[in-house]
């Protein structure tokens, strides 16, 4: 299951996101919520979500500062910024942080759902690639004694 966290200082926004997105259909579980960047950072460390949907302007620590901290912990986390402000500086920061998207509030739920579906597909593909790579590593490790034996025999002229 893909894990997501909602970060917004407006309880109604968090509630709306929770209620109006079909998370189960997308294969995404909401593992946590936070009302500011400080709480979100603590919860991120404890919960390690794959996706963070975060407001940009919040008390104590804004979404951009939170994203910088998240990038230091998990560079692969998918970041989606939600903002009521169409601010060029925030957009530039989001781009530098390699955010998946920067959506203006009020969020259009069909657009957000389509974005989340795409991200869920990317995460599933990344996980499948990681499993395949791990299997290849394990096969390589299992074959190492046989390869060493062949090398020794070749060096000794026994082949």
């Amino acid at each position: 299951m893909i894990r997501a966290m909602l970060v917004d200082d407006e309880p109604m926004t968090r509630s709306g996101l929770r209620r109006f997105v079909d998370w189960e259909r997308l294969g995404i579980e909401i593992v946590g919520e936070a009302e500011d960047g400080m709480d979100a950072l603590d919860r991120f460390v404890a919960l390690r979500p794959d996706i963070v949907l975060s407001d940009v302007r919040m008390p104590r620590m804004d979404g951009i500062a939170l994203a910088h901290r998240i990038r230091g912990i998990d560079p692969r986390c998918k970041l989606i910024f939600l903002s009521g402000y169409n601010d060029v500086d925030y957009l530039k920061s989001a781009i530098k942080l390699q955010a998946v998207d920067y959506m203006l509030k009020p969020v259009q739920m069909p657009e957000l759902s389509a974005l989340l579906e795409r991200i869920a597909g990317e995460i599933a593909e990344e996980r499948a690639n990681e499993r395949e790579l791990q299997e290849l590593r394990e096969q390589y490790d299992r074959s190492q004694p046989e390869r060493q034996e062949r090398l020794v025999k070749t060096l000794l002229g026994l082949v």
Side-chain angles (χ1 to χ4, degrees), residues 24-132:
E24 189 174 329
R25 181 187 70 77
L26 297 170
I28 300 173
E29 174 187 10
I30 301 295
V31 295
E33 293 184 18
E35 61 186 33
D36 64 49
M38 294 294 281
D39 289 340
L41 184 59
D42 290 340
R43 291 187 180 129
F44 180 85
V45 170
L47 301 169
R48 293 301 175 108
D50 303 294
I51 303 169
V52 173
L53 290 91
S54 178
D55 190 6
V56 175
R57 290 189 186 177
M58 296 178 291
R60 297 198 317 153
M61 181 190 292
D62 68 20
I64 300 298
L66 170 64
H68 277 287
R69 302 287 293 275
I70 287 172
R71 281 286 174 251
I73 297 166
D74 182 0
R76 297 182 333 170
C77 180
K78 309 295 186 195
L79 301 169
I80 300 171
F81 289 110
L82 310 173
S83 180
Y85 305 93
N86 194 1
D87 187 305
V88 173
D89 290 331
Y90 285 135
L91 285 167
K92 285 180 181 179
S93 295
I95 290 167
K96 287 179 185 173
L97 288 162
Q98 298 176 333
V100 176
D101 209 333
Y102 186 103
M103 301 182 89
L104 291 175
K105 294 178 185 177
V107 175
Q108 301 302 308
M109 290 305 164
E111 182 182 348
L112 178 59
S113 292
L115 175 64
L116 289 167
E117 187 170 7
R118 181 176 60 83
I119 293 170
E122 289 173 6
I123 292 170
E125 186 175 329
E126 288 170 7
R127 287 180 178 174
N129 290 341
E130 287 172 12
R131 281 191 302 274
E132 186 177 333

Side-chain angles (χ1 to χ4, degrees), residues 127-139:
R127 287 180 178 174
N129 290 341
E130 287 172 12
R131 281 191 302 274
E132 186 177 333
L133 183 58
Q134 184 60 33
E135 288 172 16
L136 289 171
R137 283 186 184 128
E138 289 170 5
Q139 288 174 1

